[in-house]
Amino acid sequence: MKRLFIASRGNPEHLAQLFRAELPDYEVLTEQPKAGDPKVPFIVVGRPLPGVIRAVPGIKLVLSLNAGIEHLLASGEVPEELPIVRLVDEGLAIGMAEWVLAQALSWHRNLFLYAEQQQRGEWTPQVEKLANKRRVTVLGAGALGRPVAEHFVRFGFDTRVWARSRHDIPGATTFAGMDQLLEAARGADILVNLLPLTAETRDIVNANVISVLADGAFFINGARGGHVVDADLIAALDSGKLSGAALDVFRIEPLPADDPLWKHPKIRLSPHVAAPTHQHMAVKEMAANIRRFESGEPVLHIVDRHKGY
């Protein structure tokens, strides 16, 4: 019988039940294999403790429970020759699009402001704009960024997309490479970050990028906290350069109780829930990749270690 080990600090037994239904000819383990045990070709990991991956005998493929895999690369736990598969499933993309659009439209139609006015008993209509009078820049054109950009196009926003390499997204103006980053962000009313976290993209949302946005712009981060220079973000909010920000991810999670992001009046926080993993959908995608690997077919979403995603 083929073997699969689930190294998750969440609820591995629930995942195991889903995998057993998808791969009935596999032995699905939830306890760490011991030295001398039969080989385990496949390991499913979230954020495993140090030493977990290296201790498993006979691994051929590492399947991540997360879309972001920077923690696996940074730890050095996964040998260079061992392929890593990042999670790309429809549920993640749908969830992220819902969260980003909810934040963007709430800011665009002044719903955040009206909620504050309601608390004060204040009746003050604001100037309302149509979507075609707003510019949105989406950083990232991959499995999460592309569908979000496509939604903005459908809503009628002037949509720009920036990524490491050139992408063609109908209805959007696309930019590529660091030399076009500021051009892509220039004049944006809404900036959305959905990039993978790599050495190139760390701290990418900084004072330089913020300075070219439209005055009073709104920032949305659903990617990683490491993309943002927090001090630059807070300074822009305090000065009025940014009118607000919606943040779902942070450099340290859970966000420490004394972090100034908690209490800033222009920041709306959520606890890394923008695109939660829907386990039944994720398991179907991972099981399909395992079957591809076993049959010698190309495995989807293999991480390019040089790119970092």
Side-chain angles (χ1 to χ4, degrees):
M1 179 176 279
K2 301 163 188 176
R3 308 182 92 213
L4 166 70
F5 172 44
I6 300 173
S8 169
R9 286 185 271 177
N11 184 357
E13 191 51 46
H14 177 63
L15 276 172
Q17 292 173 9
L18 295 173
F19 270 108
R20 289 172 188 135
E22 287 291 325
L23 301 169
D25 55 335
Y26 280 69
E27 181 184 4
V28 181
L29 311 172
T30 57
E31 294 187 6
Q32 178 83 39
K34 300 180 178 63
D37 283 357
K39 293 182 178 180
V40 182
F42 305 103
I43 181 171
V44 174
V45 298
R47 293 180 176 269
L49 294 171
V52 167
I53 295 175
R54 288 188 178 275
V56 178
I59 296 178
K60 295 182 179 179
L61 194 67
V62 177
L63 299 109
S64 174
L65 282 166
N66 305 105
I69 47 76
E70 68 280 352
H71 57 287
L72 295 176
L73 298 180
S75 69
E77 287 279 308
V78 185
E80 283 284 340
E81 69 277 5
L82 195 58
I84 303 172
V85 180
R86 61 190 176 91
L87 180 61
V88 176
D89 76 77
E90 186 181 8
L92 287 174
I94 292 171
M96 184 61 77
E98 290 176 349
W99 182 81
V100 170
L101 267 294
Q103 301 294 340
L105 292 173
S106 294
W107 176 83
H108 163 59
R109 290 306 308 269
N110 293 310
L111 299 186
F112 294 144
L113 184 56
Y114 292 138
E116 294 170 6
Q117 290 180 184
Q118 180 180 350
Q119 297 301 312
R120 301 191 295 268
E122 180 182 333
W123 182 282
T124 308
Q126 302 295 314
V127 174
E128 300 289 349
K129 293 184 177 182
L130 295 176
N132 60 16
K133 300 300 182 182
R134 300 275 198 196
R135 175 174 292 172
V136 176
T137 296
V138 179
L139 304 181
L144 299 179
R146 183 185 186 92
V148 165
E150 290 171 341
H151 277 299
F152 278 120
V153 170
R154 281 191 285 270
F155 271 89
F157 287 92
D158 173 7
T159 305
R160 296 182 169 199
V161 181
W162 179 89
R164 180 179 182 274
S165 56
R166 181 72 62 183
H167 292 258
D168 180 24
I169 300 177
T173 305
T174 59
F175 301 80
M178 294 303 295
D179 59 337
Q180 292 192 337
L181 174 60
L182 294 182
E183 183 182 356
R186 194 174 307 280
D189 299 292
I190 301 172
L191 179 68
V192 180
N193 176 44
L194 294 172
L195 290 165
L197 183 60
T198 67
E200 186 179 40
T201 63
R202 186 174 295 278
D203 295 334
I204 196 168
V205 180
N206 53 34
N208 288 337
V209 168
I210 294 171
S211 70
V212 301
L213 301 176
D215 291 341
F218 188 67
F219 173 59
I220 300 172
N221 189 19
R224 287 290 184 267
H227 287 121
V228 183
V229 179
D230 290 344
D232 291 354
L233 173 66
I234 291 173
L237 291 165
D238 289 344
S239 71
K241 177 62 182 179
L242 293 177
S243 63
L247 309 177
D248 186 60
V249 288
F250 309 91
R251 288 178 181 266
I252 300 173
E253 295 184 3
L255 187 65
D258 60 351
D259 194 293
L261 296 175
W262 273 115
K263 294 184 179 180
H264 199 288
K266 295 182 179 179
I267 293 177
R268 297 180 180 276
L269 303 186
S270 54
H272 204 144
V273 295
T277 299
H278 295 271
Q279 292 189 343
H280 65 289
M281 300 177 76
V283 167
K284 284 184 179 295
E285 176 61 31
M286 287 186 281
N289 257 336
I290 289 172
R291 288 191 288 266
R292 291 186 190 101
F293 185 91
E294 290 280 42
S295 64
E297 299 175 39
V299 175
L300 304 181
H301 315 307
I302 292 284
V303 171
D304 183 330
R305 289 175 183 254
H306 295 293
K307 293 180 179 179
Y309 57 91

